[in-house]
Amino acid sequence: TDLILGLHVKESISDTFLGNITEGILAKSNVSTYIYRPFQPISTIKRHLVIIPENAEYEIGFSFWLAKIWNIALNTGSKIVFYSSEHTMKIISYLCSHHPIEVEFKTFSEWDDFLILSRNIKMDDNLIIVMSRKDLLTYHFAMSKIPVYLNKYFQEQSYLLIYPSQNINTGKEKIDLTNPSLLATIAKIDTIGKTIAHIFRKTK
């Protein structure tokens, strides 16, 4: 259900590499894809800064990658800082109220001002960026600049790029996650079994 690609700590991520991933693997597969560069062991990470594009909650892969974030928090005890739109923030806040983790929320919607984040990042932070395939609901043209930003301003941080799973035939379909029974909605979407609701049930 997932594809994980690792980058050597001494290697940078190039436009060509990311372009080949986007045009190759992502164009032919709808699984959640993760590109990870571990600058330091994950056990030494104190905060994970998760950058989420607007409308992420409407994509079918939303619960898949969010479940992974929850697992990171549960297994490491590290703080999760979510940067997102207010609507996405409300949904994640709802989950936190029922299944608490150490979390902080910051409003973020301007991908053109992505470098503002460099002011807030500290040593022992891990940067997690939720990306998008081109022409889909959450894609922003500024995402094409991410390799340049990472290589120039985040060389001494671990980072993880997430490309959520998609319905490759109808990538722009919306899913209603505003229903009060949010966990039930997520459970219906994710038939594979590794859903947020499933993980939460196991951790009660």
Side-chain angles (χ1 to χ4, degrees), residues 93-180:
S93 296
Y94 175 87
L95 295 175
C96 286
S97 67
H98 288 75
H99 308 277
I101 58 174
E102 186 177 0
V103 65
E104 183 179 348
F105 294 100
K106 295 182 179 293
T107 303
F108 177 81
S109 59
E110 297 297 329
W111 281 74
D112 291 327
D113 296 329
F114 184 86
L115 290 182
I116 292 177
L117 297 174
S118 63
R119 302 174 187 174
N120 301 325
I121 200 163
K122 303 175 182 178
M123 186 178 297
D124 299 330
D125 281 348
N126 177 40
L127 187 62
I128 301 177
I129 308 172
V130 182
M131 303 285 281
S132 176
R133 294 159 171 83
K134 286 185 178 181
D135 301 321
L136 295 181
L137 183 64
T138 60
Y139 182 76
H140 192 287
F141 70 91
M143 290 180 179
S144 62
K145 302 177 183 178
I146 293 299
V148 175
Y149 295 155
L150 292 176
N151 294 336
K152 190 172 183 179
Y153 301 102
F154 301 95
Q155 292 182 349
E156 296 187 354
Q157 260 78 42
S158 297
Y159 60 77
L160 174 68
L161 304 182
I162 300 177
Y163 289 88
S165 60
Q166 297 282 350
N167 184 330
I168 56 178
N169 294 321
T170 56
K172 295 185 179 181
E173 287 187 359
K174 288 189 175 183
I175 299 166
D176 181 14
L177 295 184
T178 60
N179 190 293

